Amino acid sequence: MVELRLPRNSTVGKGQFFPAPAGAKTVRTFKIYRWTPDDDKNPVMDAYEVDLDAIGPMVLDALIHIKNDIDPTLTFRRSCREGICGSCAMNIDGENTLACLKPIKSMEGDIMINPLPHMPIVKDLVSNLDGAYAQLRAIDPWIQADSPPPPDGERRQSIEERAKLDGMWECILCFCCTTSCPSYWWNGDRYLGPAVLLAAYRWIADSRDEHTGDRLDSLEDTFKLYACRTIMNCTQTCPKGLNPAKAIGRIKELQVERKL
Amino acid sequence: MNAPVSPRHDVMRSQLGRARGLGSGHSGTGHWIAERVSAATLLPLSGWFVVQMFRLGGADYEDVAKWGGKPLNATMLSALVISSFYHAEVGLQVIVDDYVHGKAHVPAKFGVRFVTGLLGLLGVVAVLKLALGRPASKA
Ligand code: SF4
Ligand code: SF4
Ligand code: FES
């Protein structure tokens, strides 16, 4: 039924405070969501004062510093630290983005860091994206063609055909968009969400793919595709500057085009 | 509290199985078109209605009945009533899809259809009554 309140075990309490070292000049406070499955406690926000002069410019630098030098129990994902792996996606100051691309100085006051919204939590800032990965797998994100490829090389595309993939191949599957989408929050079990629909359109728009109709068939659904209400949170939040809402709009146009 | 009891899982189906779910419902585009078409038809119809209401402002029952008795006006009025309630139905479905989950979902969707359908019918009957019925008036 309609849910109006958070479940009781989701209420977030106040956590520990870790003050800055004496003599630190440029101090910023990071308030970070902490939760572990190892005890029965509710999540809390721990506050860490960080000396910005001692670290690099990005939020990820602050997190690594906290983990290395202040509190080794803090858990988060990161790998490339240059916006290409998508693993450091989290909610920073109310916006889903990549910690490694978010400059600390672009924000005022205390900085709140939460995991990606509305996903199950593994621990602290690590959310469980298994469901979203499975949704990606479910749209068959690989080329499907029945004509054999030329014996002496790869399947070819014109420059114009290749250009249609721009704005989509750049997606790093960080799921910042999907987890910012209210439609996904309410119906994430049935709605595919912007990241997966962008990936679906990437293959629909690929001139080498020969299963366009099957792909459109499998998206022809009140929820899978049409639960998108064009709220545009996805496009607004994408740290790679992509436009999933536009790709979703294109899929809907194609659905209409083949019906009328 | 520390010894973790191995959790009891109510759902052990694979994530891929859950993601594929029941597959495509093979509908949705029709609804999406209906939302837009009904919104588009409502624009001119409500414009017409507002203009007519200004013209009839202060008129007595006789005049309004005469106005509503003209086939063109009755047609426009019924079209307005039908488009409005159709648009309401299509729009309310979306709200139900967003916010009503679980067992209540299907009954709520039928409920919306039933109520908007009935109200629309009531509106059309009222228009027909105005258009076809002879008001027993003392001129
Ligand atoms: S579209 Fe943008 S926000 Fe969404 S998964 Fe791809 S890179 Fe991340
Ligand atoms: S445009 Fe669609 S996918 Fe993007 S946030 Fe809105 S509802 Fe979600
Ligand atoms: S660490 Fe790879 S995207 Fe941030």
Side-chain angles (χ1 to χ4, degrees), chain A residues 168-190:
Chain A
M168 294 187 286
W169 64 266
E170 299 95 326
C171 172
I172 58 172
L173 292 168
C174 62
F175 291 99
C176 280
C177 54
T178 293
T179 54
S180 78
C181 169
S183 275
Y184 194 80
W185 298 342
W186 311 149
N187 284 303
D189 53 339
R190 297 178 74 179

Side-chain angles (χ1 to χ4, degrees), chain A residues 1 186-187 220-222 226 229, chain B residues 24-26 29 97-98 101:
Chain A
M1 261 315 287
W186 311 149
N187 284 303
E220 167 66 299
D221 186 86
T222 311
Y226 285 102
R229 310 284 184 233
Chain B
S24 151
H26 297 297
T29 306
D97 284 346
D98 278 354
H101 300 113

Side-chain angles (χ1 to χ4, degrees), chain A residues 1-3 38-40 128 130-132 134-135 137-138 140 183 186-187 189-190 192 217-224 226-227 229-230 249 252-253 255-256 259-260, chain B residues 1-4 14-33 35-36 93-105 109:
Chain A
M1 261 315 287
V2 185
E3 290 150 35
D38 300 334
D39 55 39
D40 258 347
N128 183 338
D130 289 353
Q135 285 172 315
R137 165 81 175 68
D140 300 342
S183 275
W186 311 149
N187 284 303
D189 53 339
R190 297 178 74 179
L192 293 175
D217 281 347
S218 69
L219 296 177
E220 167 66 299
D221 186 86
T222 311
F223 285 93
K224 283 179 196 291
Y226 285 102
R229 310 284 184 233
T230 324
K252 291 176 182 169
E253 279 168 29
Q255 300 280 17
V256 172
K259 267 220 152 84
L260 295 182
Chain B
M1 284 284 188
N2 257 334
S14 78
Q15 290 287 353
L16 182 61
R18 281 190 254 182
R20 287 188 175 149
L22 301 177
S24 151
H26 297 297
S27 69
T29 306
H31 182 273
W32 191 81
I33 296 173
E35 273 178 333
R36 274 138 198 88
Q93 303 280 0
V94 168
I95 296 176
V96 170
D97 284 346
D98 278 354
Y99 298 115
V100 185
H101 300 113
K103 285 209 174 74
H105 183 245
K109 287 198 86 164

Side-chain angles (χ1 to χ4, degrees), chain A residues 13-203:
Chain A
K14 214 173 148 191
Q16 284 172 275
F17 174 66
F18 299 81
K25 283 206 198 76
T26 327
V27 174
R28 283 296 277 280
T29 306
F30 290 80
K31 295 192 170 154
I32 303 180
Y33 177 98
R34 305 298 309 274
W35 180 81
T36 166
D38 300 334
D39 55 39
D40 258 347
K41 298 200 185 104
N42 272 19
V44 294
M45 296 301 283
D46 280 350
Y48 303 88
E49 282 186 350
V50 170
D51 179 4
L52 295 193
D53 295 332
I55 62 169
M58 301 300 178
V59 170
L60 185 62
D61 296 314
L63 290 175
I64 291 174
H65 167 69
I66 292 170
K67 186 168 180 72
N68 285 349
D69 305 319
I70 306 176
D71 178 1
T73 66
L74 179 65
T75 305
F76 55 91
R77 273 195 282 241
R78 63 46 201 129
S79 175
C80 70
R81 59 102 186 89
E82 57 184 14
I84 207 63
C85 71
S87 40
C88 67
M90 52 187 75
N91 184 286
I92 301 170
D93 235 23
E95 185 190 28
N96 292 353
T97 192
L98 300 172
C100 64
L101 293 189
K102 183 78 182 169
I104 299 169
K105 297 238 161 88
S106 69
M107 293 168 284
E108 313 263 318
D110 294 355
I111 294 169
M112 299 272 272
I113 305 184
N114 281 286
L116 290 175
H118 224 278
M119 292 303 222
I121 303 299
V122 177
K123 191 180 180 196
D124 296 346
L125 299 177
V126 179
S127 45
N128 183 338
L129 296 172
D130 289 353
Y133 294 143
Q135 285 172 315
L136 176 69
R137 165 81 175 68
I139 58 122
D140 300 342
W142 49 78
I143 195 162
Q144 291 182 296
D146 302 324
S147 314
D152 53 347
E154 65 276 10
R155 294 172 197 275
R156 302 193 64 194
Q157 267 183 318
S158 72
I159 291 174
E160 292 75 27
E161 286 166 340
R162 168 59 189 77
K164 296 216 168 100
L165 306 183
D166 286 338
M168 294 187 286
W169 64 266
E170 299 95 326
C171 172
I172 58 172
L173 292 168
C174 62
F175 291 99
C176 280
C177 54
T178 293
T179 54
S180 78
C181 169
S183 275
Y184 194 80
W185 298 342
W186 311 149
N187 284 303
D189 53 339
R190 297 178 74 179
Y191 175 45
L192 293 175
V196 168
L197 289 172
L198 180 89
Y201 184 61
R202 183 244 171 278
W203 290 104

